Amino acid sequence: MTREQAAGVELPIEAVRPVRPGRWLGAAAALLFLAWLAYTIIVNENLHWDVIVAYLGDGRILGGLWVTIQLTVLSMAIGLALGVLAAVMQLSDNPVLRGTSALYTWFFRGTPLLVQLIFWFNIGLVFPTFAIGVPFGGPKLIEWQANAVITPFTAALLGLAINEGAYMAEIVRAGIRSVDPGQREAAESLGMSHRQVLRRVVLPQAMRVIIPPTGNQFISMLKTTSMVSVIAGAELLTVAQRIYLGNFEVIAMLVVASIWYVVLTTIASVGQHFIEKRFERGHVRLSSRVRRNLSPLPSKEPLPSKEPLPSKEPS
Amino acid sequence: MNAQDQPMVRIRAVRKRFGPLEVLKGIDLDVPAGEVVCVVGPSGSGKSTLLRCVNRLEGIDSGRIWVNGELMGYAERGGRLHTLRPAELCRQRRGIGMVFQRFHLFPHRTAIENVMEGPVTVLGTPAAQARRQAEELLDRVGLAGRAHHYPAQLSGGQQQRVAIARSLAMRPSLMLFDEPTSALDPELVQEVLAVMRDLAASGMTMMVVTHEMNFAREVGDQLVFMDDGVIVERGDPREVLAAPRHERLRAFLGQVQ
């Protein structure tokens, strides 16, 4: 059919959809299941909904919530910095730096986080004091007692952040390697230094690959902080446990903690969505490519003018 | 030796190998200031590698390369060569623009941001001044209306013209073109060649690796035919293309034309 004919005749598609009873049956079954689940939970007297509601805004719970947020944000920030450092070391030409980075990720991914947390909390047993001075047994300038420095919070922060750094290193490394080597060459041919290439060209593009798994790590970290309860970290779960040891409302307190965890992870997911969009800059989806192809052809644009281009006179 | 008779690029006895494969087997070549040298040859002949050695994206195994009278990559002190520090190499590269087959525009920056990137980051040019200069350059490659488009929103020919503007923003004294039209749809080749013609007419020194024999014939001051890591034939493009002396060049021209 030629273009003229297609323009003159309209052939609307008003097709009848096929009947799909399976879909309706599946939906009905799922709704029924959800209704039953909601019913058993709502009418269940053992859940003590009145207690749950009363403790949701309890001062101690909110305090634990705040510690959880602090631990998550600080651990992720330090972990990300460690991860970038370890990834850059891993990709360097220096074999000693590469080895050091590999040792770090190997060790901290190879041991359970729970063990690391208990280890950091008890580090005073191995190193009773921390000091700044000349290493290998030289004189010391300042000295601290380990037991004074290592509170449950600092132990938790050390454990979570250093462990997180080992995982972030792999994520950042994958992100950096995903950037086309031609980008680096183009930047180098402009005369950029290694640092500038990394900061201005490679990392911004690597972010697109780094952000989604980092968001997952953040959401995972919100919940992983609950492990800190083994060293009495004063975060959400520790506080909930303390309360139910007093009033024996075990399930109700766990529901209170769970509600807050869900609220936190939901907020984090929404934030992740917006940050991902921010780093999608320049990565245009198919629809805009089509629009580009529909826009005026390049030949319709003014041709390059005959003005001489700027060039440095050979000196 | 004064500036007039010193070539912009002087390549002497350059050898380069990738593992067991020697891709450059002793190259001697001069590019006088203001001239356009077109390098042609079959793929794998070493022409792109030679170009990448000039701005030291690739190191060389032996030989010397001078650009603008300066030895690339090394400093000679006390009768010995010392490898340059990265910062000094960066300074040498500033004066050499390079245009790639696959453009390599920064995809996270708009056309004008791509052109501003070099002056702002490397030269420390104030953003407002770099923007004015970038606007001028985009206008001269015919893309003033596309300044705020991202590379993915531009056609291949437009991207390559932005890439040329990006290199020019560093005010280079030498431009290297590595098969600048080979990745383009046929109908987009001419718009890029037009920009390159203008650039040549403005007196820019250019080394162009290309398969565009018409461009070489019309714009080139010198044609260099490479095969298997050596320069097989060189001379005035019009003479060389009209009457190739070597069988290998005749066979090559028979294939590309």
Side-chain angles (χ1 to χ4, degrees):
Chain A
M1 192 192 278
T2 68
R3 190 171 278 230
E4 286 77 9
Q5 277 173 315
V9 185
E10 298 251 354
L11 291 174
I13 298 175
E14 282 159 3
V16 179
R17 288 189 180 195
V19 183
R20 301 168 86 174
R23 294 177 101 189
W24 291 101
L25 278 175
L31 278 176
L32 197 67
F33 173 75
L34 288 175
W36 169 77
L37 199 65
Y39 174 77
T40 53
I41 291 173
I42 292 165
V43 303
N44 193 325
E45 288 176 0
N46 297 328
L47 269 174
H48 298 181
W49 282 103
D50 51 329
V51 181
I52 293 171
V53 171
Y55 273 95
L56 262 182
D58 185 273
R60 288 168 293 176
I61 291 287
L62 293 183
L65 184 70
W66 176 232
V67 174
T68 290
I69 293 171
Q70 279 178 302
L71 275 179
T72 303
V73 172
L74 287 174
S75 309
M76 281 307 293
I78 300 170
L80 183 63
L82 284 175
V84 171
L85 183 69
V88 170
M89 281 166 71
Q90 189 99 70
L91 296 169
S92 87
D93 295 330
N94 188 329
V96 181
L97 292 184
R98 273 209 308 272
T100 309
S101 171
L103 190 72
Y104 167 62
T105 49
W106 169 76
F107 183 80
F108 285 97
R109 293 204 310 170
T111 53
L113 175 59
L114 198 51
V115 174
Q116 290 173 31
L117 285 169
I118 300 172
F119 172 83
W120 286 114
F121 188 55
N122 293 296
I123 196 157
L125 300 176
V126 192
F127 304 105
T129 58
F130 302 136
I132 297 176
V134 181
F136 304 111
K140 294 163 186 159
L141 293 174
I142 320 173
E143 201 169 5
W144 295 276
Q145 293 297 313
N147 288 336
V149 180
I150 298 296
T151 62
F153 187 83
T154 52
L157 197 56
L158 278 170
L160 293 173
I162 294 175
N163 184 73
E164 186 59 31
Y167 285 90
M168 286 306 304
E170 293 298 300
I171 292 172
V172 173
R173 190 168 68 113
I176 291 177
R177 295 198 69 154
S178 74
V179 178
D180 179 358
Q183 290 289 309
R184 185 178 282 273
E185 290 182 352
E188 280 176 358
S189 73
L190 288 175
M192 284 194 206
S193 67
H194 281 302
R195 271 182 78 105
Q196 288 169 334
V197 173
L198 197 66
R199 240 193 46 237
R200 303 283 305 179
V201 177
V202 174
L203 279 182
Q205 294 181 59
M207 286 313 268
R208 228 171 49 81
V209 175
I210 291 172
I211 293 271
T214 303
N216 291 344
Q217 291 292 110
F218 187 89
I219 288 165
S220 167
M221 177 66 86
L222 279 169
K223 295 168 296 171
T224 307
T225 52
S226 64
M227 272 200 206
V228 170
S229 62
V230 296
I231 57 171
E235 39 54 68
L236 193 50
L237 184 61
T238 308
V239 171
Q241 284 175 330
R242 275 191 199 140
I243 297 174
Y244 73 59
L245 286 177
N247 67 5
F248 306 110
E249 293 280 359
V250 179
I251 299 299
M253 288 306 110
L254 291 182
V255 171
V256 167
S258 300
I259 288 173
W260 277 118
Y261 281 122
V262 168
V263 168
L264 289 181
T265 52
T266 305
I267 295 171
S269 306
V270 173
Q272 181 185 13
H273 171 77
F274 282 105
I275 295 174
E276 275 176 29
K277 272 187 104 172
R278 166 85 171 70
F279 280 95
E280 281 292 325
R281 270 186 317 174
H283 279 265
V284 188
R285 289 189 195 84
L286 188 66
S287 56
S288 351
R289 279 176 187 274
V290 172
R291 240 178 286 136
R292 178 253 285 169
N293 286 340
L294 294 177
S295 66
L297 281 171
S299 57
K300 299 246 174 74
E301 286 178 10
L303 273 172
S305 70
K306 293 294 157 202
E307 264 179 277
L309 287 139
S311 77
K312 203 167 81 179
E313 296 308 313
S315 48
Chain B
M1 198 186 275
N2 65 38
Q4 260 65 43
D5 41 62
Q6 170 185 289
M8 181 62 74
V9 183
R10 189 146 49 109
I11 300 171
R12 288 292 176 273
V14 163
R15 287 176 176 274
K16 165 78 183 170
R17 55 167 64 247
F18 292 116
L21 183 71
E22 191 166 40
V23 287
L24 297 177
K25 302 172 178 171
I27 302 288
D28 292 290
L29 179 65
D30 279 349
V31 181
E35 287 202 356
V36 176
V37 171
C38 293
V39 184
V40 301
S43 63
S45 60
K47 54 196 194 306
S48 282
T49 304
L50 177 65
L51 205 66
R52 293 161 60 82
C53 286
V54 171
N55 71 346
R56 239 187 134 65
L57 283 181
E58 304 282 357
I60 54 178
D61 295 323
S62 69
R64 302 280 186 279
I65 296 175
W66 291 266
V67 174
N68 223 344
E70 228 184 296
L71 186 60
M72 287 300 292
Y74 303 95
E76 203 163 2
R77 285 194 300 270
R80 285 210 58 181
L81 289 187
H82 297 257
T83 305
L84 285 187
R85 292 169 185 286
E88 292 169 85
L89 187 59
C90 288
R91 185 187 51 74
Q92 287 189 331
R93 282 189 180 135
R94 281 181 206 170
I96 307 171
M98 184 149 192
V99 174
F100 299 86
Q101 182 179 353
R102 301 213 52 86
F103 333 133
H104 299 322
L105 289 180
F106 306 132
H108 57 304
R109 301 197 188 282
T110 60
I112 194 159
E113 286 169 347
N114 265 278
V115 181
M116 290 166 65
E117 185 62 36
V120 170
T121 305
V122 179
L123 304 177
T125 310
Q129 189 187 330
R131 181 172 297 275
R132 273 199 305 278
Q133 187 197 332
E135 278 164 1
E136 263 170 52
L137 283 169
L138 283 177
D139 188 37
R140 284 179 186 172
V141 298
L143 288 174
R146 303 276 157 145
H148 299 290
H149 285 55
Y150 284 99
Q153 297 166 304
L154 300 171
S155 73
Q158 292 170 335
Q159 287 189 55
Q160 193 62 296
R161 282 143 70 192
V162 174
I164 293 172
R166 174 176 69 175
S167 288
L168 292 175
M170 294 297 290
R171 305 202 166 276
S173 47
L174 168 69
M175 285 287 288
L176 308 174
F177 291 86
D178 188 4
E179 303 200 25
T181 58
S182 298
L184 297 177
D185 294 339
E187 76 270 24
L188 303 179
V189 168
Q190 289 310 319
E191 65 188 60
V192 172
L193 291 182
V195 170
M196 291 170 64
R197 260 177 241 272
D198 264 12
L199 194 54
S202 78
M204 177 63 81
T205 313
M206 295 160 63
M207 270 183 89
V208 186
V209 170
T210 186
H211 293 295
E212 294 292 330
M213 293 304 153
N214 286 332
F215 179 82
R217 187 180 294 116
E218 290 158 26
V219 183
D221 296 295
Q222 199 184 151
L223 184 82
V224 172
F225 172 66
M226 282 180 72
D227 192 16
D228 198 24
V230 295
I231 292 179
V232 176
E233 191 163 338
R234 67 178 97 198
D236 183 277
R238 286 151 289 273
E239 291 166 18
V240 172
L241 290 173
R245 286 187 307 262
H246 287 79
E247 182 48 43
R248 277 193 280 181
L249 177 53
R250 272 195 288 272
F252 174 72
L253 291 176
Q255 278 163 2
V256 295
Q257 283 172 337

